[in-house]
């Protein structure tokens, strides 16, 4: 979603619908979906996983990537 968009249940439902449509074309496949926006509606827990649907924020994705990169750098330099 746009960087200023707060993720809500409607966005989650839209993503699940798209996934379900894709599954009709790609049978016997597993599709994980991630809905990313400015933040997640406070009534929905941030980084909440509903089966194969992840709702999260850009800040959270960036922080996770930074942590993974720092871990790699620290472990490769030993």
């Amino acid at each position: 979603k746009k960087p200023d968009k707060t993720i809500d249940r409607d966005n989650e439902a839209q993503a699940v619908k798209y996934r379900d449509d894709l599954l009709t074309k790609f049978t016997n496949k597993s599709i994980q979906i991630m809905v990313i926006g400015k933040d997640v509606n406070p009534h929905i827990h941030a980084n909440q996983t509903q089966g194969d649907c992840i709702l999260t924020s850009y800040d959270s994705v960036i922080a996770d990537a930074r942590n993974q990169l720092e871990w790699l750098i620290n472990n490769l330099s030993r």
Side-chain angles (χ1 to χ4, degrees):
K1 295 297 182 176
K2 293 181 181 180
D4 64 346
K5 172 71 177 155
T6 296
I7 302 303
D8 59 22
R9 289 287 184 206
D10 291 338
N11 303 127
E12 178 186 25
Q14 180 186 35
V16 169
K17 181 183 179 309
Y18 290 160
R19 189 239 9 239
D20 292 346
D21 289 345
L22 285 170
L23 286 173
T24 64
K25 306 283 191 247
F26 303 99
T27 57
N28 300 322
K29 299 293 180 187
S30 174
I31 299 175
Q32 296 178 326
I33 50 179
M34 179 181 276
V35 183
I36 307 171
K38 176 184 176 190
D39 52 17
V40 179
N41 182 310
H43 293 94
I44 303 172
H45 298 292
N47 296 320
Q48 176 178 352
T49 303
Q50 293 282 35
D52 54 5
C53 181
I54 298 169
L55 310 176
T56 192
S57 69
Y58 287 105
D59 287 344
S60 180
V61 170
I62 292 167
D64 288 346
R66 181 179 293 123
N67 288 337
Q68 290 178 21
L69 181 58
E70 288 174 1
W71 182 88
L72 280 171
I73 290 169
N74 290 335
N75 284 290
L76 291 175
S77 63
R78 290 184 187 168

PDB file of all heavy atoms in Angstrom, residues 16-42:
ATOM      1  N   VAL A  16      -6.185 -11.212   0.621  1.00  0.00           N
ATOM      2  CA  VAL A  16      -6.584 -12.619   0.668  1.00  0.00           C
ATOM      3  C   VAL A  16      -7.385 -12.976  -0.581  1.00  0.00           C
ATOM      4  O   VAL A  16      -7.204 -14.053  -1.164  1.00  0.00           O
ATOM      5  CB  VAL A  16      -7.382 -12.917   1.960  1.00  0.00           C
ATOM      6  CG1 VAL A  16      -8.025 -14.288   1.907  1.00  0.00           C
ATOM      7  CG2 VAL A  16      -6.471 -12.795   3.177  1.00  0.00           C
ATOM      8  N   LYS A  17      -8.234 -12.062  -1.026  1.00  0.00           N
ATOM      9  CA  LYS A  17      -9.005 -12.299  -2.255  1.00  0.00           C
ATOM     10  C   LYS A  17      -8.070 -12.437  -3.455  1.00  0.00           C
ATOM     11  O   LYS A  17      -8.236 -13.343  -4.279  1.00  0.00           O
ATOM     12  CB  LYS A  17     -10.002 -11.170  -2.498  1.00  0.00           C
ATOM     13  CG  LYS A  17     -10.851 -11.376  -3.738  1.00  0.00           C
ATOM     14  CD  LYS A  17     -11.769 -10.198  -3.983  1.00  0.00           C
ATOM     15  CE  LYS A  17     -12.612 -10.354  -5.224  1.00  0.00           C
ATOM     16  NZ  LYS A  17     -11.904 -10.702  -6.433  1.00  0.00           N
ATOM     17  N   TYR A  18      -7.094 -11.563  -3.580  1.00  0.00           N
ATOM     18  CA  TYR A  18      -6.126 -11.662  -4.669  1.00  0.00           C
ATOM     19  C   TYR A  18      -5.383 -12.997  -4.614  1.00  0.00           C
ATOM     20  O   TYR A  18      -5.161 -13.643  -5.634  1.00  0.00           O
ATOM     21  CB  TYR A  18      -5.113 -10.516  -4.617  1.00  0.00           C
ATOM     22  CG  TYR A  18      -5.663  -9.161  -4.961  1.00  0.00           C
ATOM     23  CD1 TYR A  18      -5.003  -8.007  -4.556  1.00  0.00           C
ATOM     24  CD2 TYR A  18      -6.843  -9.003  -5.688  1.00  0.00           C
ATOM     25  CE1 TYR A  18      -5.488  -6.738  -4.869  1.00  0.00           C
ATOM     26  CE2 TYR A  18      -7.334  -7.742  -5.999  1.00  0.00           C
ATOM     27  CZ  TYR A  18      -6.657  -6.620  -5.591  1.00  0.00           C
ATOM     28  OH  TYR A  18      -7.141  -5.376  -5.902  1.00  0.00           O
ATOM     29  N   ARG A  19      -4.979 -13.392  -3.413  1.00  0.00           N
ATOM     30  CA  ARG A  19      -4.293 -14.670  -3.249  1.00  0.00           C
ATOM     31  C   ARG A  19      -5.180 -15.826  -3.691  1.00  0.00           C
ATOM     32  O   ARG A  19      -4.758 -16.709  -4.416  1.00  0.00           O
ATOM     33  CB  ARG A  19      -3.870 -14.863  -1.796  1.00  0.00           C
ATOM     34  CG  ARG A  19      -2.972 -16.055  -1.564  1.00  0.00           C
ATOM     35  CD  ARG A  19      -3.428 -17.140  -0.605  1.00  0.00           C
ATOM     36  NE  ARG A  19      -4.763 -17.085  -0.111  1.00  0.00           N
ATOM     37  CZ  ARG A  19      -5.060 -17.000   1.179  1.00  0.00           C
ATOM     38  NH1 ARG A  19      -4.128 -16.908   2.091  1.00  0.00           N
ATOM     39  NH2 ARG A  19      -6.320 -17.013   1.556  1.00  0.00           N
ATOM     40  N   ASP A  20      -6.445 -15.784  -3.273  1.00  0.00           N
ATOM     41  CA  ASP A  20      -7.374 -16.848  -3.649  1.00  0.00           C
ATOM     42  C   ASP A  20      -7.570 -16.905  -5.159  1.00  0.00           C
ATOM     43  O   ASP A  20      -7.654 -17.994  -5.739  1.00  0.00           O
ATOM     44  CB  ASP A  20      -8.715 -16.667  -2.941  1.00  0.00           C
ATOM     45  CG  ASP A  20      -8.616 -16.892  -1.432  1.00  0.00           C
ATOM     46  OD1 ASP A  20      -7.584 -17.431  -0.975  1.00  0.00           O
ATOM     47  OD2 ASP A  20      -9.565 -16.508  -0.730  1.00  0.00           O
ATOM     48  N   ASP A  21      -7.620 -15.742  -5.805  1.00  0.00           N
ATOM     49  CA  ASP A  21      -7.734 -15.704  -7.266  1.00  0.00           C
ATOM     50  C   ASP A  21      -6.497 -16.318  -7.920  1.00  0.00           C
ATOM     51  O   ASP A  21      -6.604 -17.062  -8.900  1.00  0.00           O
ATOM     52  CB  ASP A  21      -7.922 -14.271  -7.769  1.00  0.00           C
ATOM     53  CG  ASP A  21      -9.297 -13.700  -7.425  1.00  0.00           C
ATOM     54  OD1 ASP A  21     -10.201 -14.488  -7.065  1.00  0.00           O
ATOM     55  OD2 ASP A  21      -9.460 -12.467  -7.524  1.00  0.00           O
ATOM     56  N   LEU A  22      -5.321 -16.004  -7.393  1.00  0.00           N
ATOM     57  CA  LEU A  22      -4.087 -16.569  -7.943  1.00  0.00           C
ATOM     58  C   LEU A  22      -4.018 -18.082  -7.754  1.00  0.00           C
ATOM     59  O   LEU A  22      -3.493 -18.797  -8.614  1.00  0.00           O
ATOM     60  CB  LEU A  22      -2.869 -15.921  -7.290  1.00  0.00           C
ATOM     61  CG  LEU A  22      -2.555 -14.503  -7.740  1.00  0.00           C
ATOM     62  CD1 LEU A  22      -1.474 -13.898  -6.845  1.00  0.00           C
ATOM     63  CD2 LEU A  22      -2.114 -14.487  -9.192  1.00  0.00           C
ATOM     64  N   LEU A  23      -4.555 -18.566  -6.646  1.00  0.00           N
ATOM     65  CA  LEU A  23      -4.513 -20.000  -6.379  1.00  0.00           C
ATOM     66  C   LEU A  23      -5.333 -20.795  -7.390  1.00  0.00           C
ATOM     67  O   LEU A  23      -5.067 -21.983  -7.598  1.00  0.00           O
ATOM     68  CB  LEU A  23      -4.985 -20.295  -4.954  1.00  0.00           C
ATOM     69  CG  LEU A  23      -3.983 -19.932  -3.861  1.00  0.00           C
ATOM     70  CD1 LEU A  23      -4.612 -20.097  -2.476  1.00  0.00           C
ATOM     71  CD2 LEU A  23      -2.711 -20.753  -3.983  1.00  0.00           C
ATOM     72  N   THR A  24      -6.323 -20.168  -8.039  1.00  0.00           N
ATOM     73  CA  THR A  24      -7.071 -20.870  -9.077  1.00  0.00           C
ATOM     74  C   THR A  24      -6.200 -21.089 -10.312  1.00  0.00           C
ATOM     75  O   THR A  24      -6.427 -22.016 -11.080  1.00  0.00           O
ATOM     76  CB  THR A  24      -8.347 -20.112  -9.483  1.00  0.00           C
ATOM     77  OG1 THR A  24      -7.998 -18.859 -10.061  1.00  0.00           O
ATOM     78  CG2 THR A  24      -9.265 -19.897  -8.287  1.00  0.00           C
ATOM     79  N   LYS A  25      -5.207 -20.238 -10.510  1.00  0.00           N
ATOM     80  CA  LYS A  25      -4.281 -20.352 -11.650  1.00  0.00           C
ATOM     81  C   LYS A  25      -3.085 -21.235 -11.317  1.00  0.00           C
ATOM     82  O   LYS A  25      -2.513 -21.864 -12.192  1.00  0.00           O
ATOM     83  CB  LYS A  25      -3.774 -18.966 -12.060  1.00  0.00           C
ATOM     84  CG  LYS A  25      -4.857 -17.955 -12.344  1.00  0.00           C
ATOM     85  CD  LYS A  25      -5.483 -18.186 -13.688  1.00  0.00           C
ATOM     86  CE  LYS A  25      -6.369 -17.015 -14.055  1.00  0.00           C
ATOM     87  NZ  LYS A  25      -7.764 -17.331 -14.102  1.00  0.00           N
ATOM     88  N   PHE A  26      -2.683 -21.233 -10.051  1.00  0.00           N
ATOM     89  CA  PHE A  26      -1.508 -21.986  -9.608  1.00  0.00           C
ATOM     90  C   PHE A  26      -1.938 -23.004  -8.564  1.00  0.00           C
ATOM     91  O   PHE A  26      -1.697 -22.830  -7.370  1.00  0.00           O
ATOM     92  CB  PHE A  26      -0.451 -21.038  -9.036  1.00  0.00           C
ATOM     93  CG  PHE A  26      -0.015 -19.975  -9.993  1.00  0.00           C
ATOM     94  CD1 PHE A  26      -0.541 -18.699  -9.915  1.00  0.00           C
ATOM     95  CD2 PHE A  26       0.911 -20.260 -10.985  1.00  0.00           C
ATOM     96  CE1 PHE A  26      -0.139 -17.708 -10.797  1.00  0.00           C
ATOM     97  CE2 PHE A  26       1.309 -19.282 -11.874  1.00  0.00           C
ATOM     98  CZ  PHE A  26       0.784 -18.004 -11.789  1.00  0.00           C
ATOM     99  N   THR A  27      -2.560 -24.056  -9.021  1.00  0.00           N
ATOM    100  CA  THR A  27      -3.069 -25.072  -8.103  1.00  0.00           C
ATOM    101  C   THR A  27      -1.907 -25.806  -7.434  1.00  0.00           C
ATOM    102  O   THR A  27      -0.797 -25.878  -7.963  1.00  0.00           O
ATOM    103  CB  THR A  27      -3.962 -26.079  -8.846  1.00  0.00           C
ATOM    104  OG1 THR A  27      -3.208 -26.655  -9.910  1.00  0.00           O
ATOM    105  CG2 THR A  27      -5.196 -25.392  -9.408  1.00  0.00           C
ATOM    106  N   ASN A  28      -2.181 -26.331  -6.273  1.00  0.00           N
ATOM    107  CA  ASN A  28      -1.185 -27.063  -5.482  1.00  0.00           C
ATOM    108  C   ASN A  28       0.018 -26.211  -5.105  1.00  0.00           C
ATOM    109  O   ASN A  28       1.119 -26.723  -4.922  1.00  0.00           O
ATOM    110  CB  ASN A  28      -0.722 -28.333  -6.210  1.00  0.00           C
ATOM    111  CG  ASN A  28      -1.863 -29.277  -6.482  1.00  0.00           C
ATOM    112  OD1 ASN A  28      -2.760 -29.429  -5.660  1.00  0.00           O
ATOM    113  ND2 ASN A  28      -1.853 -29.899  -7.651  1.00  0.00           N
ATOM    114  N   LYS A  29      -0.154 -24.915  -5.002  1.00  0.00           N
ATOM    115  CA  LYS A  29       0.911 -24.007  -4.598  1.00  0.00           C
ATOM    116  C   LYS A  29       0.503 -23.332  -3.291  1.00  0.00           C
ATOM    117  O   LYS A  29      -0.669 -23.257  -2.948  1.00  0.00           O
ATOM    118  CB  LYS A  29       1.172 -22.929  -5.655  1.00  0.00           C
ATOM    119  CG  LYS A  29       1.599 -23.454  -6.994  1.00  0.00           C
ATOM    120  CD  LYS A  29       2.958 -24.082  -6.917  1.00  0.00           C
ATOM    121  CE  LYS A  29       3.372 -24.604  -8.286  1.00  0.00           C
ATOM    122  NZ  LYS A  29       4.583 -25.353  -8.259  1.00  0.00           N
ATOM    123  N   SER A  30       1.487 -22.831  -2.596  1.00  0.00           N
ATOM    124  CA  SER A  30       1.248 -22.062  -1.380  1.00  0.00           C
ATOM    125  C   SER A  30       1.704 -20.626  -1.641  1.00  0.00           C
ATOM    126  O   SER A  30       2.822 -20.414  -2.111  1.00  0.00           O
ATOM    127  CB  SER A  30       2.029 -22.659  -0.220  1.00  0.00           C
ATOM    128  OG  SER A  30       1.905 -21.848   0.928  1.00  0.00           O
ATOM    129  N   ILE A  31       0.841 -19.679  -1.379  1.00  0.00           N
ATOM    130  CA  ILE A  31       1.173 -18.275  -1.591  1.00  0.00           C
ATOM    131  C   ILE A  31       1.073 -17.549  -0.271  1.00  0.00           C
ATOM    132  O   ILE A  31       0.025 -17.559   0.371  1.00  0.00           O
ATOM    133  CB  ILE A  31       0.224 -17.622  -2.622  1.00  0.00           C
ATOM    134  CG1 ILE A  31       0.341 -18.327  -3.975  1.00  0.00           C
ATOM    135  CG2 ILE A  31       0.525 -16.137  -2.754  1.00  0.00           C
ATOM    136  CD1 ILE A  31      -0.642 -17.824  -5.017  1.00  0.00           C
ATOM    137  N   GLN A  32       2.175 -16.945   0.143  1.00  0.00           N
ATOM    138  CA  GLN A  32       2.176 -16.119   1.348  1.00  0.00           C
ATOM    139  C   GLN A  32       2.006 -14.666   0.914  1.00  0.00           C
ATOM    140  O   GLN A  32       2.585 -14.247  -0.088  1.00  0.00           O
ATOM    141  CB  GLN A  32       3.466 -16.284   2.121  1.00  0.00           C
ATOM    142  CG  GLN A  32       3.662 -17.668   2.657  1.00  0.00           C
ATOM    143  CD  GLN A  32       4.989 -17.813   3.379  1.00  0.00           C
ATOM    144  OE1 GLN A  32       5.980 -17.204   3.016  1.00  0.00           O
ATOM    145  NE2 GLN A  32       4.978 -18.628   4.418  1.00  0.00           N
ATOM    146  N   ILE A  33       1.221 -13.923   1.673  1.00  0.00           N
ATOM    147  CA  ILE A  33       1.003 -12.523   1.334  1.00  0.00           C
ATOM    148  C   ILE A  33       1.424 -11.630   2.493  1.00  0.00           C
ATOM    149  O   ILE A  33       1.315 -12.002   3.656  1.00  0.00           O
ATOM    150  CB  ILE A  33      -0.468 -12.249   0.949  1.00  0.00           C
ATOM    151  CG1 ILE A  33      -1.439 -12.805   1.993  1.00  0.00           C
ATOM    152  CG2 ILE A  33      -0.789 -12.816  -0.410  1.00  0.00           C
ATOM    153  CD1 ILE A  33      -2.891 -12.562   1.698  1.00  0.00           C
ATOM    154  N   MET A  34       1.947 -10.465   2.127  1.00  0.00           N
ATOM    155  CA  MET A  34       2.358  -9.483   3.111  1.00  0.00           C
ATOM    156  C   MET A  34       1.743  -8.152   2.700  1.00  0.00           C
ATOM    157  O   MET A  34       1.917  -7.709   1.567  1.00  0.00           O
ATOM    158  CB  MET A  34       3.875  -9.386   3.159  1.00  0.00           C
ATOM    159  CG  MET A  34       4.383  -8.362   4.158  1.00  0.00           C
ATOM    160  SD  MET A  34       6.191  -8.247   4.183  1.00  0.00           S
ATOM    161  CE  MET A  34       6.570  -9.591   5.286  1.00  0.00           C
ATOM    162  N   VAL A  35       1.008  -7.551   3.611  1.00  0.00           N
ATOM    163  CA  VAL A  35       0.420  -6.236   3.364  1.00  0.00           C
ATOM    164  C   VAL A  35       1.226  -5.235   4.190  1.00  0.00           C
ATOM    165  O   VAL A  35       1.301  -5.348   5.411  1.00  0.00           O
ATOM    166  CB  VAL A  35      -1.071  -6.190   3.748  1.00  0.00           C
ATOM    167  CG1 VAL A  35      -1.669  -4.840   3.403  1.00  0.00           C
ATOM    168  CG2 VAL A  35      -1.842  -7.310   3.060  1.00  0.00           C
ATOM    169  N   ILE A  36       1.849  -4.278   3.488  1.00  0.00           N
ATOM    170  CA  ILE A  36       2.738  -3.318   4.133  1.00  0.00           C
ATOM    171  C   ILE A  36       2.182  -1.924   3.924  1.00  0.00           C
ATOM    172  O   ILE A  36       1.779  -1.555   2.824  1.00  0.00           O
ATOM    173  CB  ILE A  36       4.162  -3.394   3.532  1.00  0.00           C
ATOM    174  CG1 ILE A  36       4.682  -4.822   3.561  1.00  0.00           C
ATOM    175  CG2 ILE A  36       5.105  -2.461   4.279  1.00  0.00           C
ATOM    176  CD1 ILE A  36       5.966  -5.005   2.796  1.00  0.00           C
ATOM    177  N   GLY A  37       2.183  -1.133   4.989  1.00  0.00           N
ATOM    178  CA  GLY A  37       1.739   0.254   4.918  1.00  0.00           C
ATOM    179  C   GLY A  37       2.479   1.099   5.937  1.00  0.00           C
ATOM    180  O   GLY A  37       3.475   0.666   6.516  1.00  0.00           O
ATOM    181  N   LYS A  38       1.962   2.295   6.157  1.00  0.00           N
ATOM    182  CA  LYS A  38       2.579   3.194   7.144  1.00  0.00           C
ATOM    183  C   LYS A  38       2.581   2.534   8.518  1.00  0.00           C
ATOM    184  O   LYS A  38       3.571   2.543   9.233  1.00  0.00           O
ATOM    185  CB  LYS A  38       1.824   4.516   7.192  1.00  0.00           C
ATOM    186  CG  LYS A  38       2.335   5.460   8.259  1.00  0.00           C
ATOM    187  CD  LYS A  38       1.504   6.711   8.319  1.00  0.00           C
ATOM    188  CE  LYS A  38       1.991   7.589   9.466  1.00  0.00           C
ATOM    189  NZ  LYS A  38       1.059   8.693   9.698  1.00  0.00           N
ATOM    190  N   ASP A  39       1.438   1.991   8.875  1.00  0.00           N
ATOM    191  CA  ASP A  39       1.292   1.270  10.132  1.00  0.00           C
ATOM    192  C   ASP A  39       0.068   0.371  10.016  1.00  0.00           C
ATOM    193  O   ASP A  39      -0.565   0.315   8.970  1.00  0.00           O
ATOM    194  CB  ASP A  39       1.192   2.220  11.338  1.00  0.00           C
ATOM    195  CG  ASP A  39       0.112   3.289  11.163  1.00  0.00           C
ATOM    196  OD1 ASP A  39      -0.772   3.129  10.299  1.00  0.00           O
ATOM    197  OD2 ASP A  39       0.148   4.291  11.889  1.00  0.00           O
ATOM    198  N   VAL A  40      -0.229  -0.335  11.084  1.00  0.00           N
ATOM    199  CA  VAL A  40      -1.375  -1.237  11.117  1.00  0.00           C
ATOM    200  C   VAL A  40      -2.381  -0.664  12.096  1.00  0.00           C
ATOM    201  O   VAL A  40      -2.011  -0.166  13.168  1.00  0.00           O
ATOM    202  CB  VAL A  40      -0.942  -2.656  11.547  1.00  0.00           C
ATOM    203  CG1 VAL A  40      -2.124  -3.601  11.602  1.00  0.00           C
ATOM    204  CG2 VAL A  40       0.121  -3.198  10.599  1.00  0.00           C
ATOM    205  N   ASN A  41      -3.649  -0.711  11.718  1.00  0.00           N
ATOM    206  CA  ASN A  41      -4.724  -0.218  12.583  1.00  0.00           C
ATOM    207  C   ASN A  41      -4.488  -0.713  14.010  1.00  0.00           C
ATOM    208  O   ASN A  41      -4.211  -1.892  14.216  1.00  0.00           O
ATOM    209  CB  ASN A  41      -6.067  -0.735  12.046  1.00  0.00           C
ATOM    210  CG  ASN A  41      -7.249  -0.231  12.837  1.00  0.00           C
ATOM    211  OD1 ASN A  41      -7.281  -0.325  14.065  1.00  0.00           O
ATOM    212  ND2 ASN A  41      -8.229   0.279  12.140  1.00  0.00           N
ATOM    213  N   PRO A  42      -4.591   0.179  15.009  1.00  0.00           N
ATOM    214  CA  PRO A  42      -4.303  -0.221  16.391  1.00  0.00           C
ATOM    215  C   PRO A  42      -5.197  -1.345  16.914  1.00  0.00           C
ATOM    216  O   PRO A  42      -4.839  -2.031  17.861  1.00  0.00           O
ATOM    217  CB  PRO A  42      -4.520   1.053  17.208  1.00  0.00           C
ATOM    218  CG  PRO A  42      -4.943   2.107  16.274  1.00  0.00           C
ATOM    219  CD  PRO A  42      -4.925   1.575  14.889  1.00  0.00           C
TER     220      PRO A  42
END
